[in-house]
Amino acid sequence: MNDLASTAAPGRALCPPAVRAALRRAVPGLAAYAAIRLLGLVALGAWSAAKGKDWHVLLTARWDSLWYTRVAEQGYGYTVHLANGDVHSNLAFFPLLPWLERGLSALTPLSAADAGMAVAWLASLAAALALYLTGERLHGPRAGVLLTALWAALPVGVVQSMAYSESLFTALAAWGVYCVLTGRWVAAGVLASLAGLTRPVGAAVVAAVWITAAVTVANERAGGVRPRAFLRGPHRRMLLGVLLAPLGWCGYVLWVSVRQGSLTGYLDVQAGWHNGFDGGIAFGTFVWHQLTGPAFAAGLGLLLGVSLVIWLYVHGVRKGQPLPLAVYGGTVLLIALTAKGYFGSKPRLMMPAFPLLLPLAAGLARWRPVRAWLVIGVVAVGSAVYGAFWLNGSGPP
């Protein structure tokens, strides 16, 4: 893994001039991101109008958005008992997004649902900025711009504009991983903790902090650094970041366990939704049924899609992707592919795994600009049309 040395070296705290300089460099990337997402919203508005639906409702008051809004307005404790015996508890939804919805709606005229959409829009821009800086650091400015554009143009990119937690989580995760890359361990720990309050996959950010710190310490000890040195200076900040990283995730899971009166409280809540982890058995069975049934084409497409994301991950690692990115992206991918539940949500669950897009961004950056942006344009139009179709149909669960 390259760039590990820069990971170990502590970075200077960003000063305002450095922040302004970073923002100026990121303007093309942020503009590309905003343009692609605006195209998606225009397509959604036009499609919804043709179907007699309200695009605003689709973004703020459907599916999981309703659950987050209810937590923001009424707190935890709401449960739905279905006729088939399933028990859907709002304890399955991590609290940071509802907290922000409640706070923003208390300070502004926005409803909790609209506050959720506002948080998602602002967080998606923050995520795009972190993606640009990561791509710029590893492969240059063009790759940074293209990485933000590719993330915006994902087939399920419309979720980034919904009152869902994916944008907020990706922003916290991307900045957390970037802080690990630049040696800002305390900030990385805080961001990992906040990511752990946002989604269950926050464990991936914790893993990036912990494993990178462990490898850094191991390498330095092999280089002759004495154990006492790890309690001083930058190593003390590394230790603090490592200790802070799991607090959000562990805190919420333990709180649910206490509330449920069981050590497996959160897992029990997820089981009520038919969610959980089985090593990918349920997902593999689902794909096999598709391939051996009348939906062969859909099954083949699904298999090819999974193969592509796995190839992108392996390719990135073989090309020397820095350790924090490899650990984070691999953990997100592993959790998404080994989880059972509603299989149509897997593309959404993999959306925060932005390191998978780095090889594509780096490759496109070597093309002529006209050719590269023609590809981005075609992908963006496809994403806009698919997103509009998807939300006006089955949509995300």
Side-chain angles (χ1 to χ4, degrees), residues 54-139:
D54 187 340
W55 67 271
H56 178 262
V57 171
L58 294 175
L59 293 178
T60 61
R62 295 288 301 278
W63 307 292
D64 289 5
S65 300
L66 294 173
W67 288 88
Y68 283 118
T69 300
R70 189 181 293 274
V71 173
E73 294 175 339
Q74 302 176 15
Y76 286 104
Y78 178 75
T79 302
V80 175
H81 295 267
L82 302 183
N84 64 356
D86 291 348
V87 179
H88 290 182
S89 168
N90 64 0
L91 290 169
F93 296 88
F94 276 51
L96 186 57
L97 177 58
W99 286 348
L100 294 176
E101 289 179 341
R102 182 185 303 170
L104 187 57
S105 62
L107 296 173
T108 67
L110 294 175
S111 66
D114 286 338
M117 185 171 67
V119 168
W121 288 16
L122 293 172
S124 67
L125 287 172
L129 177 58
L131 265 61
Y132 170 81
L133 293 175
T134 300
E136 177 195 52
R137 179 181 181 85
L138 299 178
H139 302 291

Side-chain angles (χ1 to χ4, degrees), residues 27-43 124-125 128 148-149 152-153 160-161 373 376-377 380-381 383-384:
V27 164
L30 295 176
Y33 177 83
I36 292 171
R37 293 301 337 124
L38 179 60
L39 175 64
L41 293 175
V42 170
S124 67
L125 287 172
T148 64
Q160 297 165 21
S161 302
W373 284 105
I376 293 292
V381 171
S383 171

